[in-house]
Amino acid sequence: MGDESEWIKLPIDQKCEHKVWKARLNGYEEAAKLFQKISDEKSPEWSKHLGLIKKFVTDSNAVVQLKGLEAALVYIQNAHVAGKTAGEVVSGVVNKVFNQPKVRAKELGIEICLMYMEIEKTEPVQEELVKGLDNKNPKIIVACIETLRKALGEFGSKIVQLKPIVKVLPKLFESREKAVRDEAKLLAVEVYKWIRDALRPPLQNINSVQLKELEEEWVKLPTSAPKQTRFLRSQQDLKAKFEQHQATGDEEGDDEEDDVPVVDAYELLEPVEILLKLPKDFYDKIEAKKWQERKEALEALELLVKNPRLESGDYSDVVRALKRVIGKDSNVLLVALGAKCLAGLAAGLRKKFQTYAGHVMPTLLEKFKEKKPLVVQALQEAIDAVFLTTTLQSLSEDVLAVMDNKNPSIKQQAALFLARSFCHCTASTLPKSLLKPLCAALLKQINDSALEVRDAAFEALGTALKVVGERIMNPFLADVDKLKLEKIKESSEKVELVHGKKSNASKEANVGATGKGCSASSSGDKADASATRTGVLSKKTSANKSAGASKKMKAVVPPSGPSGKGKKAVEIKEDLSIEVCEEQAAAILPATCLQQLDSSNWKERLASMEEFQKGVEATEKKSLPCQALVRMLAKKPGWKETNFQVMQMKLHIVALIAQKGNFSRISAEVVMDGLVDKIGDIKCGVKAKEALTAIAAACSLPWTAEQVVAMAFAQKNPKNQSEILNWLAAAIKEFGFAGLNVKAFISHVKTALAATNPAVRISAVALLGVMYLYMGAPLRMFFEDEKPALLSQIDAEFEKMQGQAPPAAIRRVAKHDADEEEATEEQDDEENGNVQDLLPRTDIGDKITSDLVTKLGDKNWKIRKEGLDELCTILNEAKLIQPNIGDLPGALKGRLNDSNKILVQQTLAILQQMATAMGPNIRQHVKHLGIPIITVLGDSKSNVRAAALTTLNLWVEKTGMKEWLDGDDLSEELKKENPFLRQELLGWLAEKLPSLRTVPTDLGHCLPHLYSCLEDRNGDVRKKAQDALPTFMMHLGYEKMQKVASKLKPASKDQVLAALEKAQAVVPAKPVVPTKTSSKSNAGAARPVGAASARVNCASANDETDSFKSDAKKGKSTGVASKLKSAPNKKVPSKPIVKDDDDRSGPLFIIIPNAKEQRVKDERALKVLKWNFTTPRDEYSEQLKTQMSSCVAKWVQDEMFHSDFHHHIKALTVLLEHLENEIEGTVACLDLILRWLTLRFFDTNTTVLMKVLEYLKLLFTLLSKEDYHLTENEGNSFIPYLINKVGESKDVIRKDVRSILNILCKLYPASKMFNLIMDGLKSKNSKQRAECLEELGSLIEVHDLNVCQPTPAKALKEIASQIGDRDTSVRNAALNTVVTVYNICGDQVYKLVGNLSEKEMSMLEERIKRSAKKPSTVSVKQEEKTQRPPGTNQNAGMPRKGCEDVPSKLNQARCNNAQSASESTHTIPREFQLDLDKIENDNHAGRCELPDLVQHQLDELYEPVCIPEPKKSFSFSTL
């Protein structure tokens, strides 16, 4: 008992660590009681025992350990900090508890593990349990398996990760211990409950007896999906729901089954590397002449691709070999075998095969010409496997290319492929833009002469109908007759979709509309759905048949559903006889009106037209028979009407009918000839255009425009042709550009440009200008063959449109059925599409011959260069190309690795050309050609890397970033330990990622390699990795990145986590998702978002310019005002301006106290980059943007840092507008503004540079009036870059720069200016050196030698060294500057300039002799200043500080100095001279009262003066 007395009074924590087991036992018991008493889970008491929990479970005494386990369980259940101990405690449980013989210990250990899972620590628990499966003790293995099984059974597959469990199952079945195998069997059964057949592939290689036993157990399992019975702390709502169901005994609804995640067996498999396992002679054998050898190679490959999951790699050579076998091998058995290999490869790689899908699709489709079932079946399997690796969108062009093939087998199999592909689609993955061309091709095939082709087309159309619903398919089936529609409906009912959509026709409309398959909520909804369902597929009513004389069925329109609102008269979309038209017209028009239509008296015809108009206006829209009325108008005299008044009324009525009724294309065809004939008429042309516009609104502009333009150019009337083109140009602006047949219009425009009539040519050029707004630069490519004079007119028109945004569409195509809203959305989608997709493109696939590919791969570099030159010629001739480029990707990929760097650069140039020519379709080649471009970023030569980066950015501009971030390609590139590649790639990602709203999850694969870059031995790589961290965190989140970092080695882990903490503070905000304006609420502004915003910005900029003009007229700076007057005024819509004002209200600058001083401190402490560079790098721009984010309005930043120079001009315009009103904010952010202006100095656009200089002149003028003086930080970060622009080739720029330097002398000390200008003499630009010398001469002339820094002697020696320069202007400027010094100090100048060569000295002496200036008196000197002609000095016209503004006292002092200098033979030492410039520029007026003395008038000297008390001020004695 003596021992007990020692520990009985110890605190609990000390008892738990005591050496005596009884003490520990007592400590654990007391701890358990204490833990149960603590009610607050966040109590600080929990943290005191945090480090003891592992000791609770790992106690060496079995009895004590039981108590410790009980205490640990209570702790984990109640403490909020318990999660921190998960890893170490579970590890202790696995190693020290599961091996205990006591059952209770094992149960407590399992419960502890499950409790950790309940408090959201599933990952570390599962990780430790899986580690325990590798333990040598079978007891531990069995306990770990049992724990995993219980966890899965209670928490479900959403919480417990199945992949690591399935991965170890085969190994467990191979164990020697029966207990392990039996427990593994139970675990496999439990896993099967959750994922079903997905478990079969991973276990296919276990012992057959074991597999049979498992099969027997699996069969016994219930078919219903298992449910989660234990819930996490964050799932308490689910727990309450589950308990409620348990209490009431109700079964949970079928919708709960959706909670069970669908597990793909593919994801559970380990990838197999097969490229290294290929026979060494595989590529030789597969090209062997003997078919047996080719078969051997294919059989070896087939064996490898049978692996369900393949490791990613470069399979391009394998795919190319298989493509050759399938396409060219004469042995059909080998073709079938090759197709099987390709199918296995696609199935094993899945998404990673997407790179190769576009290359093999044409070959597979073309090979369907083989009719042997063995080959056809293998090809079908292959093409289906390829489809599953990519999207139908990317394969659609290849399929459409063979839909018109002459071989019926190819057409049949293409249609069947579409049918099978549609089964895998949903309404969202089968958009209208994709469905439209596919349906058009299939509709041609339903009229094919071959029965099998027709049946396949019906099947495909039926499947599409089943997927998207009848409402979306109706427009595409408008011209199909009723029998074929019935057959399509029949096929649709037989289809079973992969996504489990039932064949229930009553739900088709709802599924098509919502994509969710929701049933109708009311009987009325069901009735509407039924009506919609039967619309397209219903027969015509007998009433329409008996009406007689129906000629050709144009469309079948759905009758109205039983809504109870009365009958709805629908426009009959078929040709009606004249009798039927008269009957229908008589129902709404008076008899006299119809009788007088063909009267010989024009007054009666005019009266008839008036009654006709009244009848149309009085009739309801639903009851207006449009076709009948327009046929009545076309009756004799019809469109040959001679009286212009009657004709104007007739045209007006046509427009009225088109606007008011359900106007069909049949009705439009009746009147269109007459409208085209009258559009060139002087009196009726306006009415004809109005009627055409109304028809375009009713029948769509693309169709109307195509018809009328073709009619106009079929005539020979140039007036009609000219006016049609003018109307089309105006209509495009009103309706937008979506859906227009660009190829046809370009053909007609070329015809118009070749016309002899100048009016037609002018109209054609004007139309091209409008088209340029929407199509941009690619439009010009189609007119490069025109005559130079005509081409110059086109260029001039394009130049007018440069920088303008397309106008907002103010008209919409009218819709006359229940699908109006859907059609509007479709039109919005079309308008938002890429207009470049409308451009006609050339297929160069036939020109990419095998000879060309062989040349590109030749061993001789000269032949390889010939191949590249030939390819370049092909691209130049084609201009715009289709994505079909044959075997070219593989050949070009090889050239990117060429040992000859010149060929690498040429290849990169070709890839740039391809991106421009192919447009957005280049995305198909990203994986095969784009990723190798990234590899080139690792080249050791900087020029090659720069070319690769340019190419990469151009490709991304065309494709977007999604294709580049998908898959493991980027992570594989980042994995390479190439410092150049890593730093370039990380810099590129850091630039691109902040602009993305979402990224694929595959980006997370780059994290381990990103972390390794943080520890790279190369400093630049580490810096780039640190810069990239915030951009990765922006998308992946801190938690996910921390989770990946926690798996690193301890040494690396700490460093990476510290970097993550630092990066978390500077994570950029994600871009805001642009909101789409509703077309109903604002029809006038309904247009593509990007174009609309650009127009708003443009309007804002114009308004701001206009308002600044009025302000500038009143202001003092007349030069700026005069420039702004010349800016063109533009009318802009009022609505966008109101919106723009709402969005951009408030000041441009936010004044933050001491922010400028803090930025200076940060730069001095090297916390940020010092603003000193030869060429600005991206990090400088990003740093400036970050600094501006807190003090400059967001929308202004967007303009300032936009990649387009037009936005820079807008930003400068806004700064000019707000300058006078926000002078305080401008001063507060002046250092940032000046730095941004220095970046603009490096732009190549002259307009931007002129705008910058204009802003600077006004800015510095206002600052000088405000008596502001630049700080040293502001001057040093701006003036050197301004001095660099003084050497510009354009005189107007140099003049503005000199003017700004002149103003700067009032804001910045002249002595410091002198130093900065002296640095400008180091430039290689001779014009800059000459201008700098002129500036130095002016400074010396104004401020005397005191301005020379560091001393006059050193400065003059540097200036005199320029006398020997090669450039004449530099020599003259240097001589003039030295002469200026001579005029000040006389012969002393020879001593100051130092030793010169004999030639230079003679030049100087000659120039001094010729100089008209004499250093005798200052009066002579000043007289010469005022009378000096402008040609003597380029700076003569610019007033310098000190010429007019220097006070008279200072001038007098200078006179005295100059006179004494001329009388004495020596110069006063600098330290004894009075620094007049310092006095003049002294900011602290309180300490120097000299300016006040200057302002006294002479009369005041006679007044009595009181002697003031002594102050710190200048006395005349100092002078």
Side-chain angles (χ1 to χ4, degrees), residues 1235-1284:
R1235 291 186 178 196
W1236 180 73
L1237 295 174
T1238 62
L1239 297 179
R1240 301 287 68 80
F1241 286 153
F1242 290 90
D1243 289 346
T1244 55
N1245 189 282
T1246 307
T1247 309
V1248 175
L1249 183 55
M1250 294 297 295
K1251 199 76 173 177
V1252 167
L1253 298 177
E1254 179 182 331
Y1255 173 72
L1256 284 172
K1257 284 193 287 185
L1258 185 56
L1259 171 66
F1260 290 150
T1261 302
L1262 289 176
L1263 290 179
S1264 65
K1265 292 175 182 177
E1266 294 288 333
D1267 200 24
Y1268 178 81
H1269 295 273
L1270 295 180
T1271 65
E1272 187 172 356
N1273 182 56
E1274 292 166 346
N1276 290 338
S1277 61
F1278 170 75
I1279 297 175
Y1281 304 99
L1282 176 68
I1283 291 171
N1284 288 340

Side-chain angles (χ1 to χ4, degrees), residues 86-98:
E88 58 181 13
V89 172
V90 174
S91 175
V93 168
V94 170
N95 295 307
K96 299 295 184 181
V97 178
F98 285 164

Side-chain angles (χ1 to χ4, degrees), residues 479-739:
D479 296 332
V480 180
D481 62 59
K482 55 186 177 182
L483 294 176
K484 292 174 181 173
L485 284 170
E486 288 294 338
K487 197 158 187 179
I488 293 172
K489 177 186 175 183
E490 228 176 273
S491 301
S492 175
E493 291 172 349
K494 297 176 184 177
V495 171
E496 289 296 332
L497 301 181
V498 172
H499 296 286
K501 187 175 177 183
K502 303 295 183 185
S503 179
N504 187 348
S506 65
K507 294 183 181 180
E508 281 296 319
N510 290 333
V511 174
T514 65
K516 296 180 181 178
C518 299
S519 60
S521 59
S522 65
S523 59
D525 293 338
K526 291 178 182 176
D528 291 341
S530 176
T532 306
R533 182 182 76 249
T534 57
V536 172
L537 308 173
S538 63
K539 298 179 181 179
K540 294 297 290 180
T541 60
S542 58
N544 288 339
K545 288 183 180 177
S546 61
S550 120
K551 296 179 182 177
K552 181 182 177 183
M553 181 74 68
K554 281 290 187 182
V556 184
V557 177
S560 62
S563 59
K565 295 183 181 179
K567 275 192 172 183
K568 177 181 176 181
V570 182
E571 169 66 6
I572 306 299
K573 297 186 181 179
E574 60 183 47
D575 289 338
L576 299 179
S577 64
I578 192 65
E579 293 82 6
V580 175
C581 293
E582 288 176 350
E583 182 183 343
Q584 293 182 359
I588 64 169
L589 298 177
T592 54
C593 174
L594 294 174
Q595 291 171 2
Q596 293 176 351
L597 281 175
D598 54 355
S599 172
S600 59
N601 188 335
W602 70 270
K603 293 184 179 180
E604 292 181 357
R605 296 199 303 276
L606 183 60
S608 172
M609 287 295 103
E610 291 173 352
E611 291 184 2
F612 202 121
Q613 180 177 342
K614 291 177 182 178
V616 171
E617 290 174 345
T619 307
E620 292 184 4
K621 175 180 179 179
K622 298 179 180 178
S623 306
L624 198 65
C626 298
Q627 187 182 158
L629 294 176
V630 294
R631 286 193 183 277
M632 290 297 98
L633 291 174
K635 282 181 64 178
K636 187 177 179 181
W639 312 115
K640 302 294 183 182
E641 175 65 59
T642 54
N643 186 281
F644 77 91
Q645 291 175 303
V646 178
M647 193 65 201
Q648 284 180 343
M649 285 288 294
K650 191 173 288 191
L651 295 173
H652 175 69
I653 292 171
V654 170
L656 188 63
I657 295 171
Q659 291 169 357
K660 191 172 182 183
N662 296 329
F663 204 79
S664 69
R665 293 182 179 181
I666 296 294
S667 304
E669 289 173 353
V670 174
V671 301
M672 212 166 280
D673 283 330
L675 297 178
V676 174
D677 282 337
K678 293 298 178 182
I679 199 167
D681 190 278
I682 296 175
K683 296 179 180 178
C684 301
V686 175
K687 294 291 183 182
K689 288 181 180 179
E690 291 176 359
L692 281 177
T693 302
I695 292 173
C699 303
S700 83
L701 177 65
W703 180 83
T704 307
E706 195 168 350
Q707 301 297 318
V708 298
V709 172
M711 290 178 184
F713 281 90
Q715 300 178 359
K716 294 183 179 179
N717 189 333
K719 183 66 174 174
N720 288 348
Q721 294 174 353
S722 172
E723 291 302 323
I724 280 290
L725 294 176
N726 291 338
W727 170 80
L728 180 57
I732 289 174
K733 291 183 178 180
E734 293 181 3
F735 288 90
F737 202 68

Side-chain angles (χ1 to χ4, degrees), residues 1447 1479 1488-1496:
I1479 298 171
C1488 179
E1489 299 178 2
L1490 186 58
D1492 293 336
L1493 295 175
V1494 173
Q1495 293 176 2
H1496 287 314

